[in-house]
Amino acid sequence: MDLRSAIETGHAWLDDGVARVAAGPPAITRLFAAAGRHCGRAELAAAPGWTGDQAARALLLLALPTTDLPRYADELYRHGDPAEKLAVLKALPLLPIGAEAVPLLHDAIRTNDTRLVAAALGPYARHLDQAAWRQAVLKCVFMGVPLKVVDRLTDRADAELATMTAGLRDERAAAGRSFPDEALSLLEV
Amino acid sequence: MRIFDPHIHMTSRTTDDYQRMADAGVKAIVEPAFWLGQPRTSAGSFADYFDSLVGWEPFRAAQFGIRHHATIALNPKEANDPRCREALALVPRYLDKDSVVAVGEVGYDAMTPEEDEVFAAQMAMAVEFELPALVHTPHRDKARGVDRTLAVVKESGIALDRVVVDHLNEVTVGAVHDAGCWMGFSIYPDTKMSPDRMVEILRGHGLDRILVNSAADWGRSDPLLTLRTGEAMLAAGFTDDDVDKVLWRNPVEFYGQSGRLDLADPGEQDATFEGSSILRGGS
């Protein structure tokens, strides 16, 4: 997917920003915060699942020298507003960063912001250990986040997750509250 | 009645308040950074607070269909504590965030040399980041505090119609009106202004450049006093359009100068996640 051409507005700003980041990594701090104001926040027709600001922010991250990338990804996430945090999480699978950004997933999963929890369970979650991954999937069920956000769900779902899910289902049943139908598939491992 | 509360500290309010506000017609709010009652002891405490103002609090507000923006600054009271002073260096980073629509609350508490320095430094940031400024005025020695405040504002070089001087009353409104700044009024149950007194000020000074807020926080205050002021205006013979100007169009005009005001219905974007409600409790 070509994010650069999928972006619908602000190309001149973005191209200049990418060049500035490549020349001097500290430039990314202010550019990263401003991306939504230049490249839009709506979902991109040519890149489903990506918004203009997310695509622009991913391209800014990709412009960083590889050696600087882990430090800036961490810093931009930790000092970011939710849209910036979301953009970092979304970009992780595209970045040459190995498993270094796993602490960011742990942070996102601890939040009660459904957007961040969901974004933490994309393809980069392959670096999450199984215990943390199960807790995050169960949290999705608990918060009503659709399970389609979870990458490789059927591959990774295991008997322990089935036990945990059954526990939640039983609590909900005892309380007379609803339980999402789609989560019943987790019980069939 | 649609209401934009241009100054309210939602961090200190409950979800019940959000529900009552939404039911009363509050659709947008600005939450200024200020002190929290309990003194902070480090810059890190400010970082968490500022993060909350651009992160968790807008998320909470969105669940009630309320659009939340913030103003960011080191407040004058804590500018006097050397342990908190480092927070001044954190401010610029937050001024770049999409939902930050002004520098504030800046201004004076006890009018110390430390406050002079931090006030002037943050007015310079407002100029640099091309943002409006929300200026708090002291609760003690207020009249002289307002004069001194206006001198600092003018000295900064900021356009005066990009500044709101807040917590005004009958005694202090004239100087701010004559200076060309916006005039902010906090309507409180006991102190500051009441709805009826506010109506008298509107009669005397007109409706232009006036912002009416509840400034509700952790003290005895009421997030619906914006609504009560609108009702008092109607009872006094002002029209629905007058009320709309004071309680909606004026704050939109003032904070719109930031170029960052986003009044799209958050209910469409944030309060549901791919069609699922997130209104249930947290985990």
Side-chain angles (χ1 to χ4, degrees):
Chain A
M1 181 170 44
D2 181 357
L3 291 176
R4 163 72 176 70
S5 54
I7 290 174
E8 291 156 9
T9 182
H11 293 99
W13 177 86
L14 178 60
D15 292 345
D16 176 64
V18 164
R20 285 172 55 200
V21 170
I28 198 171
T29 303
R30 296 200 63 182
L31 292 164
F32 205 75
R37 301 196 282 277
H38 295 276
C39 297
R41 300 182 193 93
E43 183 161 319
L44 300 172
W50 287 81
T51 60
D53 69 291
Q54 289 166 0
R57 286 169 171 145
L59 292 166
L60 291 169
L61 286 165
L62 284 163
L64 286 167
T66 313
T67 48
D68 290 310
L69 184 56
R71 180 163 65 90
Y72 277 102
D74 187 81
E75 211 210 25
L76 291 166
Y77 175 90
R78 294 192 187 282
H79 293 283
D81 64 21
E84 292 173 89
K85 287 185 199 294
L86 205 50
V88 173
L89 295 171
K90 194 115 188 160
L92 287 177
L94 309 181
L95 304 177
I97 199 171
E100 285 197 62
V102 166
L104 304 186
L105 299 192
H106 288 296
D107 181 89
I109 291 164
R110 272 194 299 274
T111 72
N112 266 2
D113 187 327
T114 42
R115 298 163 299 181
L116 298 179
V117 173
L121 287 167
Y124 192 78
R126 68 180 180 274
H127 297 293
L128 267 186
D129 66 62
Q130 191 67 6
W133 182 84
R134 284 189 209 104
Q135 282 287 343
V137 174
L138 192 63
K139 187 163 179 172
C140 285
V141 177
F142 185 93
M143 298 174 96
V145 175
L147 290 175
K148 69 180 177 194
V149 304
V150 182
D151 187 59
R152 294 180 51 228
L153 178 66
T154 45
D155 295 347
R156 285 188 80 169
D158 58 12
E160 178 62 15
L161 180 60
T163 302
M164 293 159 72
T165 305
L168 177 60
R169 178 203 56 191
D170 294 348
E171 279 188 58
R172 288 275 171 91
R177 293 170 56 203
S178 66
F179 183 78
D181 284 343
E182 64 165 0
L184 295 172
S185 65
L186 298 177
L187 302 172
E188 292 161 9
V189 175
Chain B
M1 202 181 291
R2 55 178 179 171
I3 298 172
F4 184 142
D5 193 331
H7 181 151
I8 184 165
H9 300 282
M10 293 311 297
T11 299
S12 303
R13 311 302 302 195
T14 64
T15 47
D16 287 358
D17 286 327
Y18 269 124
Q19 187 63 59
R20 291 167 62 229
M21 289 162 64
D23 292 345
V26 178
K27 298 183 186 315
I29 53 181
V30 168
E31 176 158 10
F34 206 57
W35 79 303
L36 282 179
Q38 175 68 41
R40 299 182 180 86
T41 59
S42 70
S45 183
F46 280 89
D48 294 340
Y49 176 60
F50 295 159
D51 281 341
S52 170
L53 293 185
V54 300
W56 181 239
E57 208 53 51
F59 182 77
R60 248 164 48 100
Q63 295 179 51
F64 298 88
I66 295 175
R67 177 59 71 176
H68 182 289
H69 295 84
T71 78
I72 297 288
L74 170 59
N75 66 78
K77 191 184 286 266
E78 289 174 308
N80 290 302
D81 186 332
R83 296 172 302 176
C84 298
R85 181 62 180 268
E86 290 169 38
L88 189 61
L90 299 175
V91 171
R93 185 152 198 167
Y94 289 91
L95 298 183
D96 267 333
K97 304 302 184 193
D98 283 339
S99 63
V100 173
V101 292
V103 177
E105 299 180 51
V106 294
Y108 284 121
D109 177 52
M111 292 186 270
T112 64
E114 289 80 4
E115 291 174 30
D116 279 328
E117 206 175 308
V118 170
F119 186 5
Q122 294 188 110
M123 288 308 297
M125 290 179 195
V127 173
E128 182 192 347
F129 286 81
E130 299 179 349
L131 287 171
L134 167 57
V135 184
H136 167 93
T137 52
H139 301 310
R140 305 170 304 278
D141 202 6
K142 197 179 209 46
R144 284 195 297 175
V146 167
D147 289 342
R148 194 158 152 184
T149 294
L150 289 171
V152 174
V153 166
K154 288 173 183 167
E155 175 73 21
S156 74
I158 194 170
L160 294 172
D161 60 358
R162 292 170 69 84
V163 175
V164 57
V165 181
D166 213 340
H167 312 315
L168 298 180
N169 56 29
E170 293 85 350
V171 175
T172 51
V173 60
V176 178
H177 182 273
D178 295 347
C181 295
W182 285 69
M183 296 154 273
F185 296 88
S186 300
I187 318 298
Y188 260 36
D190 302 318
T191 59
K192 298 188 176 109
M193 291 294 295
S194 68
D196 291 337
R197 286 166 54 213
M198 189 65 230
V199 167
E200 288 309 309
I201 286 191
L202 291 167
R203 278 194 173 127
H205 289 270
L207 309 181
D208 290 338
R209 286 190 282 127
I210 298 242
L211 298 182
V212 170
N213 63 70
S214 73
D217 58 11
W218 33 261
R220 188 167 144 68
S221 49
D222 180 349
L224 298 191
L225 286 182
T226 47
L227 170 66
R228 301 292 168 243
T229 302
E231 291 168 347
M233 285 177 71
L234 293 173
F238 283 100
T239 66
D240 286 332
D241 189 67
D242 294 335
V243 172
D244 191 64
K245 175 173 170 58
V246 172
L247 294 184
W248 183 265
R249 300 199 304 271
N250 279 358
V252 168
E253 182 182 345
F254 179 73
Y255 285 116
Q257 296 181 97
S258 68
R260 301 189 196 166
L261 210 54
D262 178 4
L263 297 173
D265 179 4
E268 295 298 311
Q269 299 170 16
D270 299 328
T272 59
F273 188 92
E274 300 194 12
S276 286
S277 170
I278 52 164
L279 285 174
R280 65 185 52 143
S283 60

